[in-house]
Amino acid sequence: MNEKTMSPAIQETYANYPKLSKNMVIVLIVLAAMILWSVLGLDFKGFNAKGFEVAKNLLKSFLHPNKKLLFGDSPSSVQVLMLETIAIAFLGTIIGAIIAIPMAFMAARNLMPKAITIFFQGSITGIRVFPVFVIGVAVTRVTGFGPFAGVITMAIASLGMMTKLYVEAVEGINKNVLDALDATGCSTFEKIRFGIIPQLTAQFLSTAIYRFEINLKNAAILGLVGAGGIGGVLLAALGTTRRLGDASAYLIGLGAAVLVVEVASNYIRGKLA
Amino acid sequence: MDDSKKTFYQKVKEAFKTVISFFDRIIPKPKKISIGNGTEVQPPRSASIYISIILIIIIYYFTQVTKFDLEQLFTKFFNFWPFISRILHPEWSYYPIVLPKILETLRMAILGTFIGSVLSLPTAYFISSNIHKNSRFGVFFINIGKAYLSLLRTLPLLVYAKMILLLFAAGSGPIVGTISLSIFTFSILTKMLYEYIETIDLGAFEAIESTGVSKAKAFTTAIMPDILSVYYSYSLYSFDINVRHSTVLGYVGAGGIGVILKAKLQGDQYEEAGLILLAIFITVLTIEVVSKAIRRRLA
């Protein structure tokens, strides 16, 4: 636009409009410094001598997965291991979801005195910060290796996030409904049954379904510590032995299951909301 | 009708009816409600009964698959205690080794988040369906891009790390970690961004586009100011997640604090592991608090 045709008022406002605020400059400098610091910290040791070939084989192996594993029903086939993985994620989610309900009520700031909520909020944060595989190591020390350890690990690991989201749901309860039920002369049980539960079910369910999705993806981590599921064989196949055909069969199985669960979970949660 | 002539769909329907009638016999129906004029109404049974029966069957079957054993859990539950009590007594003198590894983890997370988020904004622009809705050619590529993104998201971070690890020479763990975190960040951030862009009002965008400028220019002037604060807060959020996730990367040899944590946990040196966990705890918590504070100011 030609500057001469602009009215002086607009020109003045435009000239005074901050191009780069002081805060922005500070943020940019801090960000640049952080990135520089991280780049300088990386030391590049070069590619694997056969890196290119490995990459080519990896991509090729996705087109030629080990069909015996993918469609067969031997103990180490995709079918059997995915069933185990799904079972671990499902049971872990359900156990976590059930334990999370009383925890959430205890940690809700609108229901409980401050001392109790601080304790429970603190323990939720504590659980959430522990990485899944640390919980897995602790559990396998107690129950031994196998899918059972996976279930317990998943239950404990789900507890943190689920309780946190449940607490948000409980704290968002509309208390007017309870007052209305009070006015009609409902007992405490009826108030819980018709006033509280209907308000929470949808959110609780959608949290649980969402967590199931995450737990299924986390199944690969469980394999690291020997807690069952498809993760162990998958990582072993990608590891030193480099059975890429097997690995791609497992990856296709896991990817397909995660995709199906994700689509289903999005659909159900859309309906619940 | 002859049994062989029935379609598969009809067979399924009949089987379903049999199951329902079986349920009808064993589960009492809800009480009939009589309306004033004498007609009685049979209210339908709530679906939650069927759902809970199916759930119970599934849970029972899954407990068999996973060899679930409550007795073992209760009898051995207190075996947790020595593990936890050793972790709660951290070996403080171990900190000179922990500190640089924590910094390495942070470096990986910062760089991974940065690369992933820088790549995600242009990609989100290219695959937002509301911006390119008028070009049929574009819609085709958008759908391919979205399908590719959801494929990227199905694989866990750990698997990326393990695959990328194959490509690099030994000892380049942090680089592998950074790359896998970039892919991970890119895949989730792009999805969050394009879903946000698809919900915003395009009035200003269309107005600017109608003056004759290109789509990209209209995007940067009309939509960028709208999405920028959301973009920053999503990036911070994924940084938050990345720090948390990068602890596991070391477990497969992709750098960071996980490398020594694995060694200590496998070597039964739980006191040192306790200090590592404490360091992770403090780092993750600090970053969560800071990121939450910044995101609150951005909103």
Side-chain angles (χ1 to χ4, degrees), chain A residues 46 48 128 133 138 141-142 262, chain B residues 83 153 166-167 169 265 270:
Chain A
N48 190 339
R128 231 152 37 85
F133 65 93
R141 291 286 185 280
V142 175
E262 198 180 296
Chain B
F83 182 83
R153 268 183 295 117
L166 295 176
L167 309 182
L265 283 176
Y270 295 134

Side-chain angles (χ1 to χ4, degrees), chain A:
Chain A
M1 198 181 284
N2 193 343
E3 276 187 22
K4 279 171 193 165
T5 56
M6 248 199 277
S7 81
I10 292 180
Q11 274 189 41
E12 197 191 321
T13 326
Y14 192 66
N16 290 336
Y17 191 78
K19 299 266 177 341
L20 261 181
S21 67
K22 208 191 236 170
N23 283 343
M24 202 64 187
V25 173
I26 295 172
V27 168
L28 279 178
I29 289 174
V30 170
L31 206 62
M34 273 165 71
I35 290 159
L36 197 69
W37 172 68
S38 352
V39 172
L40 292 178
L42 293 174
D43 45 345
F44 184 64
K45 294 256 173 63
F47 288 100
N48 190 339
K50 292 184 208 152
F52 186 67
E53 202 180 317
V54 173
K56 219 170 66 186
N57 287 341
L58 201 62
L59 290 178
K60 236 192 241 167
S61 70
F62 276 101
L63 299 175
H64 306 284
N66 186 338
K67 291 205 179 58
K68 230 183 223 166
L69 284 181
L70 195 54
F71 301 112
D73 53 357
S74 65
S76 64
S77 70
V78 172
Q79 265 183 48
V80 173
L81 287 171
M82 269 325 289
L83 179 69
E84 194 180 285
T85 309
I86 291 172
I88 291 172
F90 191 84
L91 286 183
T93 313
I94 283 195
I95 296 172
I98 290 170
I99 303 174
I101 293 173
M103 294 264 293
F105 279 102
M106 297 303 275
R109 266 162 279 207
N110 55 347
L111 300 177
M112 288 289 156
K114 208 171 179 188
I116 298 178
T117 60
I118 287 177
F119 173 74
F120 277 93
Q121 297 267 5
S123 44
I124 295 166
T125 319
I127 297 171
R128 231 152 37 85
V129 167
F130 274 102
V132 178
F133 65 93
V134 175
I135 301 172
V137 169
V139 172
T140 46
R141 291 286 185 280
V142 175
T143 62
F145 300 111
F148 177 56
V151 174
I152 305 297
T153 309
M154 280 301 174
I156 298 174
S158 320
L159 203 56
M161 189 195 98
M162 287 174 95
T163 313
K164 191 175 171 242
L165 292 177
Y166 280 12
V167 167
E168 277 166 23
V170 172
E171 285 179 350
I173 277 185
N174 183 353
K175 281 200 166 174
N176 293 344
V177 178
L178 297 185
D179 292 342
L181 287 174
D182 243 351
T184 59
C186 286
S187 65
T188 312
F189 174 74
E190 282 168 332
K191 273 198 299 191
I192 293 173
R193 168 69 186 82
F194 297 105
I196 296 178
I197 292 180
Q199 286 193 51
L200 296 179
T201 342
Q203 261 174 305
F204 277 19
L205 266 181
S206 85
T207 304
I209 293 169
Y210 180 52
R211 185 65 214 191
F212 174 61
E213 211 182 307
I214 297 177
N215 278 352
L216 198 60
K217 276 188 205 174
N218 276 349
I221 296 177
L222 286 184
L224 277 184
V225 295
I230 204 166
V233 283
L234 170 58
L235 293 173
L238 276 175
T240 44
T241 54
R242 288 197 197 163
R243 288 171 283 117
L244 296 180
D246 295 11
S248 66
Y250 292 134
L251 282 178
I252 290 169
L254 183 64
V258 169
L259 215 57
V260 169
V261 167
E262 198 180 296
V263 170
S265 127
N266 276 341
Y267 176 77
I268 298 174
R269 283 189 290 140
K271 287 251 160 169
L272 283 174

Side-chain angles (χ1 to χ4, degrees), chain B residues 140-158:
Chain B
F140 177 69
F141 277 106
I142 283 170
N143 287 333
I144 288 184
K146 281 182 181 171
Y148 182 69
L149 259 186
S150 44
L151 279 184
L152 263 187
R153 268 183 295 117
T154 57
L155 294 190
L157 176 65
L158 209 59

Side-chain angles (χ1 to χ4, degrees), chain B residues 126-171:
Chain B
F126 279 116
I127 64 173
S128 299
S129 56
N130 57 347
I131 289 178
H132 301 279
K133 65 185 165 199
N134 289 329
S135 67
R136 184 171 287 175
F137 188 62
V139 169
F140 177 69
F141 277 106
I142 283 170
N143 287 333
I144 288 184
K146 281 182 181 171
Y148 182 69
L149 259 186
S150 44
L151 279 184
L152 263 187
R153 268 183 295 117
T154 57
L155 294 190
L157 176 65
L158 209 59
V159 175
Y160 282 119
K162 198 84 185 175
M163 288 201 285
I164 296 167
L165 207 59
L166 295 176
L167 309 182
F168 282 87

